[in-house]
mmCIF file with all atom_site columns, all heavy atoms in Angstrom:
data_model
loop_
_atom_site.group_PDB
_atom_site.id
_atom_site.type_symbol
_atom_site.label_atom_id
_atom_site.label_alt_id
_atom_site.label_comp_id
_atom_site.label_asym_id
_atom_site.label_entity_id
_atom_site.label_seq_id
_atom_site.pdbx_PDB_ins_code
_atom_site.Cartn_x
_atom_site.Cartn_y
_atom_site.Cartn_z
_atom_site.occupancy
_atom_site.B_iso_or_equiv
_atom_site.pdbx_formal_charge
_atom_site.auth_seq_id
_atom_site.auth_comp_id
_atom_site.auth_asym_id
_atom_site.auth_atom_id
_atom_site.pdbx_PDB_model_num
ATOM 1  N N   . ASP A 1 269 ? -5.739  0.714   3.938  1.00 98.00 ? 1756 ASP A N   1
ATOM 2  C CA  . ASP A 1 269 ? -5.336  1.875   3.148  1.00 98.00 ? 1756 ASP A CA  1
ATOM 3  C C   . ASP A 1 269 ? -5.666  1.714   1.667  1.00 98.00 ? 1756 ASP A C   1
ATOM 4  O O   . ASP A 1 269 ? -5.810  0.600   1.180  1.00 98.00 ? 1756 ASP A O   1
ATOM 5  C CB  . ASP A 1 269 ? -3.804  2.090   3.303  1.00 98.00 ? 1756 ASP A CB  1
ATOM 6  C CG  . ASP A 1 269 ? -3.443  2.891   4.546  1.00 98.00 ? 1756 ASP A CG  1
ATOM 7  O OD1 . ASP A 1 269 ? -4.368  3.338   5.236  1.00 98.00 ? 1756 ASP A OD1 1
ATOM 8  O OD2 . ASP A 1 269 ? -2.234  3.021   4.820  1.00 98.00 ? 1756 ASP A OD2 1
ATOM 9  N N   . ALA A 1 270 ? -5.700  2.840   0.987  1.00 98.00 ? 1757 ALA A N   1
ATOM 10 C CA  . ALA A 1 270 ? -6.169  2.875   -0.401 1.00 98.00 ? 1757 ALA A CA  1
ATOM 11 C C   . ALA A 1 270 ? -5.284  2.013   -1.314 1.00 98.00 ? 1757 ALA A C   1
ATOM 12 O O   . ALA A 1 270 ? -5.778  1.466   -2.311 1.00 98.00 ? 1757 ALA A O   1
ATOM 13 C CB  . ALA A 1 270 ? -6.180  4.309   -0.903 1.00 98.00 ? 1757 ALA A CB  1
ATOM 14 N N   . ASP A 1 271 ? -4.011  1.899   -1.018 1.00 98.00 ? 1758 ASP A N   1
ATOM 15 C CA  . ASP A 1 271 ? -3.104  1.187   -1.957 1.00 98.00 ? 1758 ASP A CA  1
ATOM 16 C C   . ASP A 1 271 ? -2.896  -0.279  -1.588 1.00 98.00 ? 1758 ASP A C   1
ATOM 17 O O   . ASP A 1 271 ? -2.100  -0.969  -2.244 1.00 98.00 ? 1758 ASP A O   1
ATOM 18 C CB  . ASP A 1 271 ? -1.731  1.899   -2.002 1.00 98.00 ? 1758 ASP A CB  1
ATOM 19 C CG  . ASP A 1 271 ? -1.884  3.279   -2.660 1.00 98.00 ? 1758 ASP A CG  1
ATOM 20 O OD1 . ASP A 1 271 ? -2.612  3.373   -3.679 1.00 98.00 ? 1758 ASP A OD1 1
ATOM 21 O OD2 . ASP A 1 271 ? -1.279  4.238   -2.170 1.00 98.00 ? 1758 ASP A OD2 1
ATOM 22 N N   . VAL A 1 272 ? -3.591  -0.774  -0.578 1.00 98.00 ? 1759 VAL A N   1
ATOM 23 C CA  . VAL A 1 272 ? -3.449  -2.182  -0.180 1.00 98.00 ? 1759 VAL A CA  1
ATOM 24 C C   . VAL A 1 272 ? -4.108  -3.078  -1.257 1.00 98.00 ? 1759 VAL A C   1
ATOM 25 O O   . VAL A 1 272 ? -5.117  -2.697  -1.840 1.00 98.00 ? 1759 VAL A O   1
ATOM 26 C CB  . VAL A 1 272 ? -4.100  -2.403  1.202  1.00 98.00 ? 1759 VAL A CB  1
ATOM 27 C CG1 . VAL A 1 272 ? -4.264  -3.895  1.528  1.00 98.00 ? 1759 VAL A CG1 1
ATOM 28 C CG2 . VAL A 1 272 ? -3.262  -1.693  2.262  1.00 98.00 ? 1759 VAL A CG2 1
ATOM 29 N N   . VAL A 1 273 ? -3.536  -4.257  -1.474 1.00 98.00 ? 1760 VAL A N   1
ATOM 30 C CA  . VAL A 1 273 ? -4.136  -5.202  -2.446 1.00 98.00 ? 1760 VAL A CA  1
ATOM 31 C C   . VAL A 1 273 ? -4.399  -6.542  -1.743 1.00 98.00 ? 1760 VAL A C   1
ATOM 32 O O   . VAL A 1 273 ? -3.512  -7.114  -1.106 1.00 98.00 ? 1760 VAL A O   1
ATOM 33 C CB  . VAL A 1 273 ? -3.167  -5.408  -3.635 1.00 98.00 ? 1760 VAL A CB  1
ATOM 34 C CG1 . VAL A 1 273 ? -3.759  -6.440  -4.606 1.00 98.00 ? 1760 VAL A CG1 1
ATOM 35 C CG2 . VAL A 1 273 ? -2.906  -4.095  -4.352 1.00 98.00 ? 1760 VAL A CG2 1
ATOM 36 N N   . LEU A 1 274 ? -5.647  -7.015  -1.835 1.00 99.00 ? 1761 LEU A N   1
ATOM 37 C CA  . LEU A 1 274 ? -6.023  -8.257  -1.194 1.00 99.00 ? 1761 LEU A CA  1
ATOM 38 C C   . LEU A 1 274 ? -6.565  -9.228  -2.223 1.00 99.00 ? 1761 LEU A C   1
ATOM 39 O O   . LEU A 1 274 ? -7.236  -8.844  -3.183 1.00 99.00 ? 1761 LEU A O   1
ATOM 40 C CB  . LEU A 1 274 ? -7.133  -7.970  -0.160 1.00 99.00 ? 1761 LEU A CB  1
ATOM 41 C CG  . LEU A 1 274 ? -6.820  -6.878  0.884  1.00 99.00 ? 1761 LEU A CG  1
ATOM 42 C CD1 . LEU A 1 274 ? -8.009  -6.615  1.771  1.00 99.00 ? 1761 LEU A CD1 1
ATOM 43 C CD2 . LEU A 1 274 ? -5.617  -7.296  1.731  1.00 99.00 ? 1761 LEU A CD2 1
ATOM 44 N N   . ALA A 1 275 ? -6.297  -10.505 -1.975 1.00 98.00 ? 1762 ALA A N   1
ATOM 45 C CA  . ALA A 1 275 ? -6.792  -11.543 -2.908 1.00 98.00 ? 1762 ALA A CA  1
ATOM 46 C C   . ALA A 1 275 ? -8.115  -12.080 -2.370 1.00 98.00 ? 1762 ALA A C   1
ATOM 47 O O   . ALA A 1 275 ? -8.434  -11.945 -1.198 1.00 98.00 ? 1762 ALA A O   1
ATOM 48 C CB  . ALA A 1 275 ? -5.775  -12.670 -3.000 1.00 98.00 ? 1762 ALA A CB  1
ATOM 49 N N   . PRO A 1 276 ? -8.912  -12.722 -3.260 1.00 98.00 ? 1763 PRO A N   1
ATOM 50 C CA  . PRO A 1 276 ? -10.134 -13.364 -2.794 1.00 98.00 ? 1763 PRO A CA  1
ATOM 51 C C   . PRO A 1 276 ? -9.800  -14.413 -1.714 1.00 98.00 ? 1763 PRO A C   1
ATOM 52 O O   . PRO A 1 276 ? -8.756  -15.040 -1.750 1.00 98.00 ? 1763 PRO A O   1
ATOM 53 C CB  . PRO A 1 276 ? -10.674 -14.030 -4.066 1.00 98.00 ? 1763 PRO A CB  1
ATOM 54 C CG  . PRO A 1 276 ? -10.028 -13.314 -5.200 1.00 98.00 ? 1763 PRO A CG  1
ATOM 55 C CD  . PRO A 1 276 ? -8.676  -12.864 -4.705 1.00 98.00 ? 1763 PRO A CD  1
ATOM 56 N N   . ASP A 1 277 ? -10.755 -14.632 -0.834 1.00 98.00 ? 1764 ASP A N   1
ATOM 57 C CA  . ASP A 1 277 ? -10.647 -15.587 0.245  1.00 98.00 ? 1764 ASP A CA  1
ATOM 58 C C   . ASP A 1 277 ? -9.595  -15.255 1.281  1.00 98.00 ? 1764 ASP A C   1
ATOM 59 O O   . ASP A 1 277 ? -9.219  -16.117 2.064  1.00 98.00 ? 1764 ASP A O   1
ATOM 60 C CB  . ASP A 1 277 ? -10.465 -17.020 -0.293 1.00 98.00 ? 1764 ASP A CB  1
ATOM 61 C CG  . ASP A 1 277 ? -11.759 -17.550 -0.893 1.00 98.00 ? 1764 ASP A CG  1
ATOM 62 O OD1 . ASP A 1 277 ? -12.839 -17.276 -0.313 1.00 98.00 ? 1764 ASP A OD1 1
ATOM 63 O OD2 . ASP A 1 277 ? -11.702 -18.213 -1.943 1.00 98.00 ? 1764 ASP A OD2 1
ATOM 64 N N   . VAL A 1 278 ? -9.161  -14.019 1.296  1.00 99.00 ? 1765 VAL A N   1
ATOM 65 C CA  . VAL A 1 278 ? -8.417  -13.545 2.463  1.00 99.00 ? 1765 VAL A CA  1
ATOM 66 C C   . VAL A 1 278 ? -9.427  -13.339 3.583  1.00 99.00 ? 1765 VAL A C   1
ATOM 67 O O   . VAL A 1 278 ? -10.575 -12.962 3.339  1.00 99.00 ? 1765 VAL A O   1
ATOM 68 C CB  . VAL A 1 278 ? -7.677  -12.208 2.150  1.00 99.00 ? 1765 VAL A CB  1
ATOM 69 C CG1 . VAL A 1 278 ? -7.270  -11.473 3.424  1.00 99.00 ? 1765 VAL A CG1 1
ATOM 70 C CG2 . VAL A 1 278 ? -6.480  -12.457 1.255  1.00 99.00 ? 1765 VAL A CG2 1
ATOM 71 N N   . THR A 1 279 ? -9.016  -13.656 4.813  1.00 99.00 ? 1766 THR A N   1
ATOM 72 C CA  . THR A 1 279 ? -9.886  -13.385 5.967  1.00 99.00 ? 1766 THR A CA  1
ATOM 73 C C   . THR A 1 279 ? -9.196  -12.379 6.882  1.00 99.00 ? 1766 THR A C   1
ATOM 74 O O   . THR A 1 279 ? -8.027  -12.535 7.210  1.00 99.00 ? 1766 THR A O   1
ATOM 75 C CB  . THR A 1 279 ? -10.170 -14.674 6.753  1.00 99.00 ? 1766 THR A CB  1
ATOM 76 O OG1 . THR A 1 279 ? -10.874 -15.576 5.909  1.00 99.00 ? 1766 THR A OG1 1
ATOM 77 C CG2 . THR A 1 279 ? -11.010 -14.376 8.009  1.00 99.00 ? 1766 THR A CG2 1
ATOM 78 N N   . ILE A 1 280 ? -9.930  -11.334 7.263  1.00 99.00 ? 1767 ILE A N   1
ATOM 79 C CA  . ILE A 1 280 ? -9.382  -10.327 8.141  1.00 99.00 ? 1767 ILE A CA  1
ATOM 80 C C   . ILE A 1 280 ? -10.216 -10.306 9.414  1.00 99.00 ? 1767 ILE A C   1
ATOM 81 O O   . ILE A 1 280 ? -11.438 -10.143 9.403  1.00 99.00 ? 1767 ILE A O   1
ATOM 82 C CB  . ILE A 1 280 ? -9.426  -8.927  7.490  1.00 99.00 ? 1767 ILE A CB  1
ATOM 83 C CG1 . ILE A 1 280 ? -8.631  -8.976  6.168  1.00 99.00 ? 1767 ILE A CG1 1
ATOM 84 C CG2 . ILE A 1 280 ? -8.820  -7.868  8.418  1.00 99.00 ? 1767 ILE A CG2 1
ATOM 85 C CD1 . ILE A 1 280 ? -8.697  -7.700  5.385  1.00 99.00 ? 1767 ILE A CD1 1
#
Side-chain angles (χ1 to χ4, degrees):
D1756 276 355
D1758 292 319
V1759 168
V1760 178
L1761 306 176
D1764 287 321
V1765 162
T1766 297
I1767 303 175

